[in-house]
Amino acid sequence: MFDRISDSFSGAIRKLSGSGSISESNVREAMGEVRDALLEADVQYEVAEAFCDKVLKDALGREVTKSLKPGQEMIAIVHRRLVELFGGDPDADQQPAPPGIMKMSPGPTIVMMCGLQGSGKTTTCGKLAGLLKKQGRSVMLAAADLQRPAAVEQLQTVARQANELPGGAQVHFYAEPDKVAAYGKAVGVAVKVCQNAVKEAKAKGVDVLILDTAGRLHVNDELMGELGQVKSLLSPHHIFLVVDAMTGQDAVQSARSFHQRLAVDGVILTKFDSDTRGGAALSVKEVTGAPIRYIGVGEKLDALEPFHPERMAGRILGMGDVVSLVEKAQQEVSEEDAKKLEAKMSKGELTMDDFLKQMKTLRKMGSMKSLLGMLPGIGSMLKEVDIDEKQLDRTEAMIQSMTPAERSRPDLINNPRKRRIASGSGTDQTQVGQLVKQFGMLNKMTKQMGSMSAGSKVAAAQQLSGSGMFSGMPALPGMGGKGSTKSASRGVKKRKPKRR
Amino acid sequence: MAMFRGVMDRLKKGLTKTREGLVSSLRSIVHGRTLDDALIKEIEQRLIQSDVGVVATRELIESIRTDAKAGKLTRGEHVIDHLKREIKAMWPEADRSLKLAPSAPTVILMTGVNGVGKTTSIAKLCAQLRGEGKTVLLGACDTFRAGAVRQLEIWAERLGVEVVKGQQGGDPASVAFDASAAAKARGVDFLILDTAGRLHTQAGLMDQLTKIRRVVDKQIPGAPHEVLLVLDATSGQNALRQAEEFGKAAGVTGIFLSKLDGTARGGIVVAVRHTTDIPVKFIGVGETPEDVEPFDPERFVEAMFAE
């Protein structure tokens, strides 16, 4: 999604590093391109201008032109400014963890969601409930949208789905369906419903109460007043503004209006899994001063992630987001499992079963594309690589069609066995052959890596990233587009991603 | 189409709200000023801020510069007329009415990303057609989002039409199939199919639209006769990608521009027009079923630059 801003930055910066000697006018020209890229990405006009001015000033001040590696220097400057724009502290070595939902005693912590129609409030309520449930906190979702037809039913279903997510706590639902009325006919009723919900939440002893309010236009005085009333009567602990990441220049105006009225203390960006360049994200923070707390990255209820300014800045610049990747992995894999696996890998004794398990774990973490996008230097070349998730299904099917003996000793698999596996999995013999061959290569490679010292492992990994380890991943079963990965691997070699 | 009168007033009223201190209008900026570089820069800013997009803005600004050099534009006020003319010219006279089937039923497929207002837009189309005395059947092919079918049902009850629905989580194409069969059997004039919002980046879900098309065509050859893409007036440049991808997967024949009653000026359709030939057919300007009107470039441009 931010890839294109990232592309334009890379393009502009490559121009800089390519042109032997760099003059002030080179830098200015590159910033012009960056500005256009930001505008094309829906960054608000003034925000984009101000950003470019700041970067230009920094660049000229630090005499980028005389630096040996002007491209790197520029990236560092832009990165700093991006982190700042996203609400992070560019000078901090360790960014503080983004704040979660505060814990109130006695409960409940009251969270009010607001936003324009169609920004994704109801779905986000469910996602937030799921996140809290995972932390062991009980939640009540209250339906304060009495206007949109079936909004109450939608929230009820969402609450039920959230309750089925893993986690120890309960997700409750509160509504007064008889108060529902047509648009504009139920103004003010929501206030009473919210008050009742608080009583109910107290009685049930839930930890967090989330109020799902009706979508409204920021220019609708009456309905904005209703939110103001809810705020003054219940004094919610959090007021989150839900913003569609695909919004254009208007994002700033609506955000500003909501903020003036309600003093929003956090923004949740939705539909981040689209290919929007997400410039609205850059601007909303700048204009309201309220931090971006979470981003919605999928249709399912577990697709909500905390927002990390410095990681997002890194992602934009193609530096990758390894920290998020590691965190995701830690959520899914226990340390013990990881150690066992490492031992096996270093001996080259990986079995098809291990491989299947790994693949399943990996897929639980998200789509291949979103995972690969977090690796340094990979993001920008992903567009050309068409990752076929169906091919992963086929690989799973092939392994599942193997006997236990075949899974632990793939060298057993001769032609008659290949035929059987192929017909069992609905594939053909060549595909099975490929899988076995590639699996053998994988084992060989991991064994080589296993015999290295820790230091040389890092070096080897770096080398591998150039020689096709990462691009070799796409060659593993599950990723199509071999032709394009070859050129992509060259891209990696050239770029040699250097993080921070 | 008598009902459209009054909507125009509402549209204007909706757009007047923008004058209230949020962004000063282009008109007030150019008022009484000589056209110079500084003013051109400000005009550029306003165009960008109404989501017209960098490329289209650059071209519009170029045309202003050219005319200014030729001495045709000297005063700020001239620019407004110039821009109106240029933008209007992007939509030559064209047939923007609904495409009708040679024989009933006419099938309309509604598509779009999540949260753009597909279901509300269907209610608007439905109310308009009912107002013209036509019979309408709705097909609830959004089997994914919780409450979507119920939302359509509530509208249907209010507007006095029937809905064909399937199972939550069921196959949307099978609902489309049933709805098409029912439309034929009942002999209705129009069948409108609601689909689940989907991001244009999700290949699997986009294929599903292609499948729905195929299934409908099998039941009613030539259908769907109209595939409308609902675009949110507040959306940014990503709308271009939406138009492109939905165009490919669903064969979009027209755009329904929704939510034009906020502060967004819908300049995004200028950007979209710049890259595709898909005509804008309707605009939605409010929450009630009556808040719809056919797209008219003349009036749209007037409203875009209204005081």
PDB file of all heavy atoms in Angstrom, chain A residues 4 36 40 42 46 117 154 183 218 246 248-250 253 271 275, chain B residues 23 45 51 58 114 145-146 200 234 236-238 241 259 263 287:
ATOM      1  N   ARG A   4       4.000   2.567  -3.316  1.00  0.00           N
ATOM      2  CA  ARG A   4       4.235   3.508  -4.406  1.00  0.00           C
ATOM      3  C   ARG A   4       4.931   4.769  -3.930  1.00  0.00           C
ATOM      4  O   ARG A   4       5.736   5.323  -4.659  1.00  0.00           O
ATOM      5  CB  ARG A   4       2.915   3.862  -5.061  1.00  0.00           C
ATOM      6  CG  ARG A   4       2.301   2.611  -5.615  1.00  0.00           C
ATOM      7  CD  ARG A   4       1.454   2.932  -6.775  1.00  0.00           C
ATOM      8  NE  ARG A   4       0.452   1.904  -6.901  1.00  0.00           N
ATOM      9  CZ  ARG A   4      -0.596   2.006  -7.650  1.00  0.00           C
ATOM     10  NH1 ARG A   4      -0.812   3.102  -8.324  1.00  0.00           N
ATOM     11  NH2 ARG A   4      -1.451   1.029  -7.741  1.00  0.00           N
ATOM     12  N   ASP A  36       5.346  15.437  -5.750  1.00  0.00           N
ATOM     13  CA  ASP A  36       4.306  14.907  -6.630  1.00  0.00           C
ATOM     14  C   ASP A  36       3.882  13.516  -6.183  1.00  0.00           C
ATOM     15  O   ASP A  36       2.697  13.181  -6.204  1.00  0.00           O
ATOM     16  CB  ASP A  36       4.810  14.853  -8.079  1.00  0.00           C
ATOM     17  CG  ASP A  36       4.695  16.225  -8.747  1.00  0.00           C
ATOM     18  OD1 ASP A  36       4.267  17.180  -8.056  1.00  0.00           O
ATOM     19  OD2 ASP A  36       5.026  16.338  -9.941  1.00  0.00           O
ATOM     20  N   GLU A  40       0.178  12.491  -5.235  1.00  0.00           N
ATOM     21  CA  GLU A  40      -0.488  11.371  -5.908  1.00  0.00           C
ATOM     22  C   GLU A  40      -0.936  10.345  -4.883  1.00  0.00           C
ATOM     23  O   GLU A  40      -1.849   9.578  -5.109  1.00  0.00           O
ATOM     24  CB  GLU A  40       0.454  10.697  -6.913  1.00  0.00           C
ATOM     25  CG  GLU A  40       0.578  11.403  -8.248  1.00  0.00           C
ATOM     26  CD  GLU A  40      -0.700  11.333  -9.081  1.00  0.00           C
ATOM     27  OE1 GLU A  40      -1.685  10.735  -8.629  1.00  0.00           O
ATOM     28  OE2 GLU A  40      -0.697  11.914 -10.174  1.00  0.00           O
ATOM     29  N   ASP A  42      -2.215  11.062  -2.122  1.00  0.00           N
ATOM     30  CA  ASP A  42      -3.281  11.684  -1.332  1.00  0.00           C
ATOM     31  C   ASP A  42      -2.810  12.327  -0.034  1.00  0.00           C
ATOM     32  O   ASP A  42      -3.610  12.563   0.857  1.00  0.00           O
ATOM     33  CB  ASP A  42      -4.414  10.696  -0.997  1.00  0.00           C
ATOM     34  CG  ASP A  42      -5.137  10.223  -2.240  1.00  0.00           C
ATOM     35  OD1 ASP A  42      -5.404  11.060  -3.118  1.00  0.00           O
ATOM     36  OD2 ASP A  42      -5.442   9.019  -2.338  1.00  0.00           O
ATOM     37  N   GLU A  46      -0.865  20.887   1.907  1.00  0.00           N
ATOM     38  CA  GLU A  46       0.011  21.646   2.801  1.00  0.00           C
ATOM     39  C   GLU A  46       0.991  20.736   3.535  1.00  0.00           C
ATOM     40  O   GLU A  46       2.142  21.100   3.749  1.00  0.00           O
ATOM     41  CB  GLU A  46      -0.801  22.437   3.852  1.00  0.00           C
ATOM     42  CG  GLU A  46      -1.368  23.723   3.302  1.00  0.00           C
ATOM     43  CD  GLU A  46      -2.875  23.744   3.382  1.00  0.00           C
ATOM     44  OE1 GLU A  46      -3.446  22.688   3.743  1.00  0.00           O
ATOM     45  OE2 GLU A  46      -3.473  24.786   3.088  1.00  0.00           O
ATOM     46  N   GLN A 117     -19.628   7.681   7.415  1.00  0.00           N
ATOM     47  CA  GLN A 117     -20.282   6.449   6.957  1.00  0.00           C
ATOM     48  C   GLN A 117     -19.317   5.623   6.116  1.00  0.00           C
ATOM     49  O   GLN A 117     -18.577   6.170   5.312  1.00  0.00           O
ATOM     50  CB  GLN A 117     -21.513   6.766   6.080  1.00  0.00           C
ATOM     51  CG  GLN A 117     -22.676   7.374   6.820  1.00  0.00           C
ATOM     52  CD  GLN A 117     -22.696   8.871   6.712  1.00  0.00           C
ATOM     53  OE1 GLN A 117     -21.665   9.497   6.481  1.00  0.00           O
ATOM     54  NE2 GLN A 117     -23.858   9.455   6.896  1.00  0.00           N
ATOM     55  N   GLN A 154     -25.728  -6.303  12.374  1.00  0.00           N
ATOM     56  CA  GLN A 154     -24.336  -6.492  11.955  1.00  0.00           C
ATOM     57  C   GLN A 154     -23.413  -6.571  13.167  1.00  0.00           C
ATOM     58  O   GLN A 154     -22.586  -7.478  13.267  1.00  0.00           O
ATOM     59  CB  GLN A 154     -23.894  -5.349  11.033  1.00  0.00           C
ATOM     60  CG  GLN A 154     -22.490  -5.583  10.466  1.00  0.00           C
ATOM     61  CD  GLN A 154     -21.978  -4.406   9.643  1.00  0.00           C
ATOM     62  OE1 GLN A 154     -22.691  -3.441   9.394  1.00  0.00           O
ATOM     63  NE2 GLN A 154     -20.732  -4.483   9.221  1.00  0.00           N
ATOM     64  N   TYR A 183     -32.860   7.341   9.094  1.00  0.00           N
ATOM     65  CA  TYR A 183     -31.804   8.330   9.198  1.00  0.00           C
ATOM     66  C   TYR A 183     -32.344   9.685   9.636  1.00  0.00           C
ATOM     67  O   TYR A 183     -33.300  10.198   9.087  1.00  0.00           O
ATOM     68  CB  TYR A 183     -31.093   8.475   7.853  1.00  0.00           C
ATOM     69  CG  TYR A 183     -29.935   9.434   7.911  1.00  0.00           C
ATOM     70  CD1 TYR A 183     -28.704   9.029   8.417  1.00  0.00           C
ATOM     71  CD2 TYR A 183     -30.071  10.745   7.467  1.00  0.00           C
ATOM     72  CE1 TYR A 183     -27.638   9.898   8.482  1.00  0.00           C
ATOM     73  CE2 TYR A 183     -29.002  11.624   7.522  1.00  0.00           C
ATOM     74  CZ  TYR A 183     -27.792  11.199   8.029  1.00  0.00           C
ATOM     75  OH  TYR A 183     -26.737  12.068   8.086  1.00  0.00           O
ATOM     76  N   HIS A 218     -19.344  15.041   9.004  1.00  0.00           N
ATOM     77  CA  HIS A 218     -18.816  16.010   9.944  1.00  0.00           C
ATOM     78  C   HIS A 218     -19.510  17.358   9.815  1.00  0.00           C
ATOM     79  O   HIS A 218     -19.324  18.233  10.628  1.00  0.00           O
ATOM     80  CB  HIS A 218     -17.320  16.161   9.734  1.00  0.00           C
ATOM     81  CG  HIS A 218     -16.943  16.407   8.308  1.00  0.00           C
ATOM     82  ND1 HIS A 218     -17.071  15.445   7.348  1.00  0.00           N
ATOM     83  CD2 HIS A 218     -16.471  17.501   7.680  1.00  0.00           C
ATOM     84  CE1 HIS A 218     -16.688  15.938   6.195  1.00  0.00           C
ATOM     85  NE2 HIS A 218     -16.327  17.180   6.356  1.00  0.00           N
ATOM     86  N   MET A 246      -8.259   4.897   2.208  1.00  0.00           N
ATOM     87  CA  MET A 246      -8.343   5.264   0.797  1.00  0.00           C
ATOM     88  C   MET A 246      -8.890   6.679   0.587  1.00  0.00           C
ATOM     89  O   MET A 246      -9.080   7.109  -0.539  1.00  0.00           O
ATOM     90  CB  MET A 246      -9.222   4.252   0.048  1.00  0.00           C
ATOM     91  CG  MET A 246      -8.595   2.873  -0.033  1.00  0.00           C
ATOM     92  SD  MET A 246      -9.539   1.726  -1.042  1.00  0.00           S
ATOM     93  CE  MET A 246     -10.878   1.323   0.055  1.00  0.00           C
ATOM     94  N   GLY A 248      -9.312  10.667   0.224  1.00  0.00           N
ATOM     95  CA  GLY A 248      -8.479  11.654  -0.443  1.00  0.00           C
ATOM     96  C   GLY A 248      -8.208  12.861   0.428  1.00  0.00           C
ATOM     97  O   GLY A 248      -8.134  12.758   1.654  1.00  0.00           O
ATOM     98  N   GLN A 249      -8.092  14.009  -0.201  1.00  0.00           N
ATOM     99  CA  GLN A 249      -7.739  15.241   0.485  1.00  0.00           C
ATOM    100  C   GLN A 249      -8.728  15.602   1.594  1.00  0.00           C
ATOM    101  O   GLN A 249      -8.406  16.293   2.538  1.00  0.00           O
ATOM    102  CB  GLN A 249      -7.668  16.385  -0.523  1.00  0.00           C
ATOM    103  CG  GLN A 249      -6.629  16.188  -1.610  1.00  0.00           C
ATOM    104  CD  GLN A 249      -5.240  16.578  -1.166  1.00  0.00           C
ATOM    105  OE1 GLN A 249      -5.073  17.474  -0.362  1.00  0.00           O
ATOM    106  NE2 GLN A 249      -4.231  15.892  -1.682  1.00  0.00           N
ATOM    107  N   ASP A 250      -9.959  15.126   1.443  1.00  0.00           N
ATOM    108  CA  ASP A 250     -11.004  15.476   2.403  1.00  0.00           C
ATOM    109  C   ASP A 250     -10.767  14.867   3.788  1.00  0.00           C
ATOM    110  O   ASP A 250     -11.332  15.317   4.780  1.00  0.00           O
ATOM    111  CB  ASP A 250     -12.357  15.014   1.847  1.00  0.00           C
ATOM    112  CG  ASP A 250     -13.523  15.643   2.583  1.00  0.00           C
ATOM    113  OD1 ASP A 250     -13.528  16.874   2.702  1.00  0.00           O
ATOM    114  OD2 ASP A 250     -14.395  14.901   3.058  1.00  0.00           O
ATOM    115  N   GLN A 253     -10.088  17.346   6.423  1.00  0.00           N
ATOM    116  CA  GLN A 253     -11.199  18.191   6.868  1.00  0.00           C
ATOM    117  C   GLN A 253     -12.120  17.465   7.818  1.00  0.00           C
ATOM    118  O   GLN A 253     -12.527  18.003   8.851  1.00  0.00           O
ATOM    119  CB  GLN A 253     -12.010  18.656   5.666  1.00  0.00           C
ATOM    120  CG  GLN A 253     -11.160  19.469   4.737  1.00  0.00           C
ATOM    121  CD  GLN A 253     -11.996  20.271   3.786  1.00  0.00           C
ATOM    122  OE1 GLN A 253     -13.191  20.412   3.976  1.00  0.00           O
ATOM    123  NE2 GLN A 253     -11.366  20.795   2.767  1.00  0.00           N
ATOM    124  N   LYS A 271      -8.876  -0.522   6.030  1.00  0.00           N
ATOM    125  CA  LYS A 271      -8.685  -0.905   4.617  1.00  0.00           C
ATOM    126  C   LYS A 271      -7.246  -0.670   4.162  1.00  0.00           C
ATOM    127  O   LYS A 271      -6.994  -0.261   3.039  1.00  0.00           O
ATOM    128  CB  LYS A 271      -9.676  -0.148   3.725  1.00  0.00           C
ATOM    129  CG  LYS A 271     -11.128  -0.303   4.212  1.00  0.00           C
ATOM    130  CD  LYS A 271     -12.120   0.459   3.374  1.00  0.00           C
ATOM    131  CE  LYS A 271     -13.361   0.760   4.184  1.00  0.00           C
ATOM    132  NZ  LYS A 271     -14.306   1.620   3.483  1.00  0.00           N
ATOM    133  N   ASP A 275      -4.476  -1.265  -2.152  1.00  0.00           N
ATOM    134  CA  ASP A 275      -3.227  -0.710  -2.673  1.00  0.00           C
ATOM    135  C   ASP A 275      -3.232   0.811  -2.592  1.00  0.00           C
ATOM    136  O   ASP A 275      -2.545   1.485  -3.337  1.00  0.00           O
ATOM    137  CB  ASP A 275      -2.970  -1.180  -4.109  1.00  0.00           C
ATOM    138  CG  ASP A 275      -4.111  -0.807  -5.040  1.00  0.00           C
ATOM    139  OD1 ASP A 275      -5.151  -0.317  -4.541  1.00  0.00           O
ATOM    140  OD2 ASP A 275      -3.974  -0.996  -6.255  1.00  0.00           O
TER     141      ASP A 275
ATOM    142  N   VAL B  23     -12.372  25.326   3.626  1.00  0.00           N
ATOM    143  CA  VAL B  23     -11.434  25.725   2.594  1.00  0.00           C
ATOM    144  C   VAL B  23     -12.074  26.880   1.850  1.00  0.00           C
ATOM    145  O   VAL B  23     -13.195  26.758   1.391  1.00  0.00           O
ATOM    146  CB  VAL B  23     -11.167  24.567   1.605  1.00  0.00           C
ATOM    147  CG1 VAL B  23     -10.547  25.117   0.332  1.00  0.00           C
ATOM    148  CG2 VAL B  23     -10.254  23.539   2.226  1.00  0.00           C
ATOM    149  N   GLN B  45      -3.141  24.480  -5.960  1.00  0.00           N
ATOM    150  CA  GLN B  45      -3.395  23.915  -4.641  1.00  0.00           C
ATOM    151  C   GLN B  45      -4.866  23.534  -4.472  1.00  0.00           C
ATOM    152  O   GLN B  45      -5.190  22.449  -3.996  1.00  0.00           O
ATOM    153  CB  GLN B  45      -2.983  24.927  -3.581  1.00  0.00           C
ATOM    154  CG  GLN B  45      -3.269  24.476  -2.172  1.00  0.00           C
ATOM    155  CD  GLN B  45      -2.797  25.469  -1.134  1.00  0.00           C
ATOM    156  OE1 GLN B  45      -2.181  26.495  -1.465  1.00  0.00           O
ATOM    157  NE2 GLN B  45      -3.086  25.186   0.114  1.00  0.00           N
ATOM    158  N   ASP B  51      -9.090  16.726  -5.008  1.00  0.00           N
ATOM    159  CA  ASP B  51      -8.832  15.357  -5.472  1.00  0.00           C
ATOM    160  C   ASP B  51      -8.795  15.198  -6.987  1.00  0.00           C
ATOM    161  O   ASP B  51      -8.992  14.105  -7.503  1.00  0.00           O
ATOM    162  CB  ASP B  51      -9.862  14.367  -4.885  1.00  0.00           C
ATOM    163  CG  ASP B  51      -9.736  14.222  -3.390  1.00  0.00           C
ATOM    164  OD1 ASP B  51      -8.605  14.089  -2.916  1.00  0.00           O
ATOM    165  OD2 ASP B  51     -10.771  14.253  -2.694  1.00  0.00           O
ATOM    166  N   ARG B  58      -2.047  19.199 -13.443  1.00  0.00           N
ATOM    167  CA  ARG B  58      -0.942  19.761 -14.221  1.00  0.00           C
ATOM    168  C   ARG B  58      -1.434  20.194 -15.599  1.00  0.00           C
ATOM    169  O   ARG B  58      -1.102  21.258 -16.089  1.00  0.00           O
ATOM    170  CB  ARG B  58       0.170  18.720 -14.347  1.00  0.00           C
ATOM    171  CG  ARG B  58       1.503  19.335 -14.753  1.00  0.00           C
ATOM    172  CD  ARG B  58       2.588  18.303 -14.818  1.00  0.00           C
ATOM    173  NE  ARG B  58       2.980  17.811 -13.511  1.00  0.00           N
ATOM    174  CZ  ARG B  58       3.335  16.549 -13.267  1.00  0.00           C
ATOM    175  NH1 ARG B  58       3.287  15.660 -14.226  1.00  0.00           N
ATOM    176  NH2 ARG B  58       3.698  16.171 -12.057  1.00  0.00           N
ATOM    177  N   ASN B 114     -15.383  -1.757  -0.111  1.00  0.00           N
ATOM    178  CA  ASN B 114     -16.152  -1.760   1.132  1.00  0.00           C
ATOM    179  C   ASN B 114     -16.495  -0.343   1.584  1.00  0.00           C
ATOM    180  O   ASN B 114     -15.660   0.554   1.508  1.00  0.00           O
ATOM    181  CB  ASN B 114     -15.351  -2.419   2.251  1.00  0.00           C
ATOM    182  CG  ASN B 114     -14.701  -3.710   1.813  1.00  0.00           C
ATOM    183  OD1 ASN B 114     -13.838  -3.698   0.946  1.00  0.00           O
ATOM    184  ND2 ASN B 114     -15.107  -4.808   2.393  1.00  0.00           N
ATOM    185  N   ARG B 145     -20.756  -9.868   4.369  1.00  0.00           N
ATOM    186  CA  ARG B 145     -20.783  -8.944   5.504  1.00  0.00           C
ATOM    187  C   ARG B 145     -21.988  -9.245   6.392  1.00  0.00           C
ATOM    188  O   ARG B 145     -23.105  -9.432   5.908  1.00  0.00           O
ATOM    189  CB  ARG B 145     -20.856  -7.497   5.018  1.00  0.00           C
ATOM    190  CG  ARG B 145     -20.882  -6.495   6.173  1.00  0.00           C
ATOM    191  CD  ARG B 145     -20.687  -5.078   5.702  1.00  0.00           C
ATOM    192  NE  ARG B 145     -21.742  -4.603   4.837  1.00  0.00           N
ATOM    193  CZ  ARG B 145     -22.874  -4.073   5.279  1.00  0.00           C
ATOM    194  NH1 ARG B 145     -23.121  -3.974   6.565  1.00  0.00           N
ATOM    195  NH2 ARG B 145     -23.788  -3.660   4.433  1.00  0.00           N
ATOM    196  N   ALA B 146     -21.719  -9.260   7.685  1.00  0.00           N
ATOM    197  CA  ALA B 146     -22.796  -9.481   8.646  1.00  0.00           C
ATOM    198  C   ALA B 146     -23.837  -8.384   8.486  1.00  0.00           C
ATOM    199  O   ALA B 146     -23.503  -7.210   8.379  1.00  0.00           O
ATOM    200  CB  ALA B 146     -22.215  -9.466  10.050  1.00  0.00           C
ATOM    201  N   HIS B 200     -10.272  -4.113  -4.500  1.00  0.00           N
ATOM    202  CA  HIS B 200      -9.909  -4.498  -5.863  1.00  0.00           C
ATOM    203  C   HIS B 200      -8.578  -5.228  -5.928  1.00  0.00           C
ATOM    204  O   HIS B 200      -8.176  -5.692  -6.972  1.00  0.00           O
ATOM    205  CB  HIS B 200      -9.848  -3.251  -6.722  1.00  0.00           C
ATOM    206  CG  HIS B 200      -9.038  -2.163  -6.090  1.00  0.00           C
ATOM    207  ND1 HIS B 200      -9.495  -1.448  -5.006  1.00  0.00           N
ATOM    208  CD2 HIS B 200      -7.800  -1.723  -6.352  1.00  0.00           C
ATOM    209  CE1 HIS B 200      -8.549  -0.603  -4.638  1.00  0.00           C
ATOM    210  NE2 HIS B 200      -7.519  -0.740  -5.426  1.00  0.00           N
ATOM    211  N   THR B 234     -15.500  10.955  -1.354  1.00  0.00           N
ATOM    212  CA  THR B 234     -14.383  11.357  -0.490  1.00  0.00           C
ATOM    213  C   THR B 234     -13.112  10.567  -0.801  1.00  0.00           C
ATOM    214  O   THR B 234     -12.090  10.797  -0.197  1.00  0.00           O
ATOM    215  CB  THR B 234     -14.702  11.134   1.007  1.00  0.00           C
ATOM    216  OG1 THR B 234     -14.928   9.750   1.222  1.00  0.00           O
ATOM    217  CG2 THR B 234     -15.894  11.932   1.441  1.00  0.00           C
ATOM    218  N   GLY B 236      -9.733   9.125  -2.509  1.00  0.00           N
ATOM    219  CA  GLY B 236      -8.601   9.780  -3.142  1.00  0.00           C
ATOM    220  C   GLY B 236      -8.223   9.107  -4.444  1.00  0.00           C
ATOM    221  O   GLY B 236      -9.066   8.475  -5.095  1.00  0.00           O
ATOM    222  N   GLN B 237      -6.952   9.237  -4.803  1.00  0.00           N
ATOM    223  CA  GLN B 237      -6.499   8.774  -6.112  1.00  0.00           C
ATOM    224  C   GLN B 237      -6.620   7.259  -6.274  1.00  0.00           C
ATOM    225  O   GLN B 237      -6.532   6.744  -7.376  1.00  0.00           O
ATOM    226  CB  GLN B 237      -5.058   9.216  -6.358  1.00  0.00           C
ATOM    227  CG  GLN B 237      -4.876  10.726  -6.276  1.00  0.00           C
ATOM    228  CD  GLN B 237      -5.826  11.464  -7.193  1.00  0.00           C
ATOM    229  OE1 GLN B 237      -5.924  11.164  -8.375  1.00  0.00           O
ATOM    230  NE2 GLN B 237      -6.578  12.421  -6.652  1.00  0.00           N
ATOM    231  N   ASN B 238      -6.843   6.563  -5.187  1.00  0.00           N
ATOM    232  CA  ASN B 238      -7.013   5.115  -5.276  1.00  0.00           C
ATOM    233  C   ASN B 238      -8.240   4.746  -6.118  1.00  0.00           C
ATOM    234  O   ASN B 238      -8.340   3.644  -6.648  1.00  0.00           O
ATOM    235  CB  ASN B 238      -7.135   4.514  -3.879  1.00  0.00           C
ATOM    236  CG  ASN B 238      -7.075   3.018  -3.879  1.00  0.00           C
ATOM    237  OD1 ASN B 238      -8.070   2.353  -3.649  1.00  0.00           O
ATOM    238  ND2 ASN B 238      -5.910   2.470  -4.180  1.00  0.00           N
ATOM    239  N   ARG B 241      -7.503   3.241  -9.401  1.00  0.00           N
ATOM    240  CA  ARG B 241      -7.200   1.806  -9.397  1.00  0.00           C
ATOM    241  C   ARG B 241      -8.496   1.004  -9.301  1.00  0.00           C
ATOM    242  O   ARG B 241      -8.632  -0.039  -9.916  1.00  0.00           O
ATOM    243  CB  ARG B 241      -6.293   1.458  -8.212  1.00  0.00           C
ATOM    244  CG  ARG B 241      -4.994   2.234  -8.189  1.00  0.00           C
ATOM    245  CD  ARG B 241      -3.931   1.544  -9.012  1.00  0.00           C
ATOM    246  NE  ARG B 241      -3.826   0.146  -8.651  1.00  0.00           N
ATOM    247  CZ  ARG B 241      -3.959  -0.855  -9.509  1.00  0.00           C
ATOM    248  NH1 ARG B 241      -4.183  -0.603 -10.768  1.00  0.00           N
ATOM    249  NH2 ARG B 241      -3.858  -2.098  -9.108  1.00  0.00           N
ATOM    250  N   LYS B 259     -22.095   9.923  -1.733  1.00  0.00           N
ATOM    251  CA  LYS B 259     -21.636  10.765  -0.611  1.00  0.00           C
ATOM    252  C   LYS B 259     -21.122  12.140  -1.043  1.00  0.00           C
ATOM    253  O   LYS B 259     -20.135  12.635  -0.515  1.00  0.00           O
ATOM    254  CB  LYS B 259     -20.536  10.050   0.175  1.00  0.00           C
ATOM    255  CG  LYS B 259     -20.936   8.661   0.643  1.00  0.00           C
ATOM    256  CD  LYS B 259     -19.911   8.128   1.605  1.00  0.00           C
ATOM    257  CE  LYS B 259     -20.021   6.629   1.755  1.00  0.00           C
ATOM    258  NZ  LYS B 259     -18.986   6.064   2.576  1.00  0.00           N
ATOM    259  N   THR B 263     -17.986  17.406   2.593  1.00  0.00           N
ATOM    260  CA  THR B 263     -17.193  18.532   2.122  1.00  0.00           C
ATOM    261  C   THR B 263     -16.342  18.147   0.922  1.00  0.00           C
ATOM    262  O   THR B 263     -15.702  18.993   0.317  1.00  0.00           O
ATOM    263  CB  THR B 263     -16.250  19.040   3.233  1.00  0.00           C
ATOM    264  OG1 THR B 263     -15.649  17.921   3.874  1.00  0.00           O
ATOM    265  CG2 THR B 263     -17.023  19.843   4.251  1.00  0.00           C
ATOM    266  N   GLU B 287     -28.866  10.809   2.584  1.00  0.00           N
ATOM    267  CA  GLU B 287     -29.119   9.501   3.184  1.00  0.00           C
ATOM    268  C   GLU B 287     -30.459   8.903   2.807  1.00  0.00           C
ATOM    269  O   GLU B 287     -30.706   7.735   3.041  1.00  0.00           O
ATOM    270  CB  GLU B 287     -29.054   9.623   4.715  1.00  0.00           C
ATOM    271  CG  GLU B 287     -27.654   9.757   5.251  1.00  0.00           C
ATOM    272  CD  GLU B 287     -26.980   8.412   5.447  1.00  0.00           C
ATOM    273  OE1 GLU B 287     -27.683   7.413   5.627  1.00  0.00           O
ATOM    274  OE2 GLU B 287     -25.750   8.370   5.416  1.00  0.00           O
TER     275      GLU B 287
END
